[in-house]
Amino acid sequence: MEKSKMTWEEYKNFKEDGDTSYNEFDKCHNNGNDILSDIRELLEMAQNYNVNESAIDCLDAALEEMQKFCNNMMDCKCNHFEAYKKRLGTIVEV
């Protein structure tokens, strides 16, 4: 199979000598998405129960930062995968 044609699922588990797999990208991104869901739920509850504005502002800021983190993880994953495909387009056994 050509490395440049690997899917993310194939690529993240592919290892060469000394390499590690990239499952950490998915794990970290999925954890971030779980946290995002929790923060959204907390924010909605805080707004529904008229929690003070300061607490809502903090949750809003946390939501924004967590969204940046998740976007960064996705960008990192995509950029790394694309760079890898460009650099190593040779046929290998997977």
Side-chain angles (χ1 to χ4, degrees):
M1 169 181 284
E2 276 188 53
K3 288 183 186 178
S4 61
K5 296 192 186 295
M6 284 183 187
T7 64
W8 174 252
E9 290 301 314
E10 294 165 330
Y11 169 70
K12 73 180 184 175
N13 292 308
F14 182 78
K15 290 184 182 184
E16 290 184 303
D17 292 340
D19 282 352
T20 58
S21 71
Y22 290 91
N23 282 310
E24 293 81 14
F25 279 115
D26 278 350
K27 182 180 177 187
C28 197
H29 188 262
N30 290 342
N31 287 344
N33 277 336
D34 290 345
I35 293 168
L36 266 177
S37 293
D38 291 345
I39 295 173
R40 283 190 186 107
E41 189 177 320
L42 285 170
L43 183 57
E44 186 178 323
M45 286 175 32
Q47 291 166 333
N48 289 341
Y49 289 101
N50 296 319
V51 172
N52 71 50
E53 204 60 36
S54 169
I56 290 174
D57 288 345
C58 288
L59 285 170
D60 223 7
L63 182 63
E64 185 177 327
E65 289 303 310
M66 201 64 219
Q67 186 65 61
K68 286 179 190 176
F69 168 80
C70 287
N71 292 345
N72 189 334
M73 285 303 301
M74 185 58 75
D75 289 347
C76 184
K77 178 168 98 169
C78 292
N79 292 340
H80 193 278
F81 185 38
E82 289 305 313
Y84 190 81
K85 287 194 306 184
K86 287 178 186 172
R87 186 169 48 102
L88 299 166
T90 58
I91 296 175
V92 296
E93 295 292 322
V94 178

